[in-house]
Amino acid sequence: MLAYKSYTDRELLDCLKSGDRAAFAEIYERYWKTMYFHALKMLGDEDDAKDLVQELFASVWARAASIPFNNNLSGYLYITARNKIINLIQQRKVRRDYLSGLAAFAEEASNGTIERIDEKELLLIVEKEIQALPYKMRQVFELSRKQYLSHKEIADELDISDKTVKKQIGYAIRMIKLKLDVLTRVVLLFIFFQ
């Protein structure tokens, strides 16, 4: 591995194209921190920046054979990172616009209409959606919301990382909310056109 430290980017790229894992490890070691701080500056979120950089290097490894031959590996990494950042920002904007639209829709509905939904029925629907989650996600979610365990306690019990616990709970909440949003729309439409 020490020999790779003296390689130029061009030499590392040549080795990488032939599937050399040690060359990839050196590229990763050489550029991870720089790419992370670039992504962090653009995104403003540590977890998003880390995820983006991991995705960047995974794509470098997966597409090693098609990386253009030039002497500017750092330029290639910056451009690829920039494109991934732009895509992520666009996805966030679409998500924000969608949530704003849902909020506007909910505000238009009268409180009396929403009160017609029986609380017990709603709890049964929520429980059904929880049971429909993928097994591991459901397990994490139930330990969090029903047994009131912390992320650390869940991570220790299931032998997974705190970050995985946080992501699984976030995904579960989003999935349940999405199903409930759809259900609420259907119920509201049914009540309005009854």
Side-chain angles (χ1 to χ4, degrees), residues 51-63:
D51 289 346
L52 187 129
V53 173
Q54 288 303 109
E55 186 181 316
L56 168 68
F57 282 103
S59 72
V60 166
W61 176 254
R63 295 188 295 137

Side-chain angles (χ1 to χ4, degrees), residues 7-129:
Y7 279 31
T8 65
D9 285 355
R10 174 65 185 244
E11 292 170 323
L12 286 172
L13 192 54
D14 287 341
C15 293
L16 177 66
K17 284 178 177 275
S18 64
D20 189 330
R21 290 181 186 272
F24 174 76
E26 176 58 29
I27 291 169
Y28 182 90
E29 192 68 31
R30 194 175 286 184
Y31 287 105
W32 188 91
K33 191 180 284 187
T34 304
M35 293 296 108
Y36 167 74
F37 285 117
H38 176 62
L40 180 60
K41 184 173 121 182
M42 300 298 290
L43 297 171
D45 181 272
E46 289 182 14
D47 287 337
D48 284 347
K50 286 177 185 173
D51 289 346
L52 187 129
V53 173
Q54 288 303 109
E55 186 181 316
L56 168 68
F57 282 103
S59 72
V60 166
W61 176 254
R63 295 188 295 137
S66 64
I67 295 174
F69 265 108
N70 62 32
N71 292 328
N72 194 358
L73 178 59
S74 64
Y76 172 80
L77 292 172
Y78 271 105
I79 289 169
T80 305
R82 183 201 62 196
N83 291 340
K84 289 184 178 299
I85 290 166
I86 289 169
N87 288 342
L88 183 59
I89 291 170
Q90 286 174 339
Q91 288 171 355
R92 285 179 177 173
K93 183 184 179 326
V94 167
R95 194 174 306 131
R96 265 195 316 270
D97 291 348
Y98 175 74
L99 292 175
S100 295
L102 284 178
F105 178 79
E107 285 177 23
E108 291 173 9
S110 71
N111 287 337
T113 303
I114 295 174
E115 289 172 3
R116 292 183 193 175
I117 301 172
D118 184 44
E119 186 177 335
K120 286 183 182 178
E121 288 178 39
L122 189 56
L123 290 174
L124 287 173
I125 292 167
V126 169
E127 184 58 33
K128 181 181 172 194
E129 294 307 325

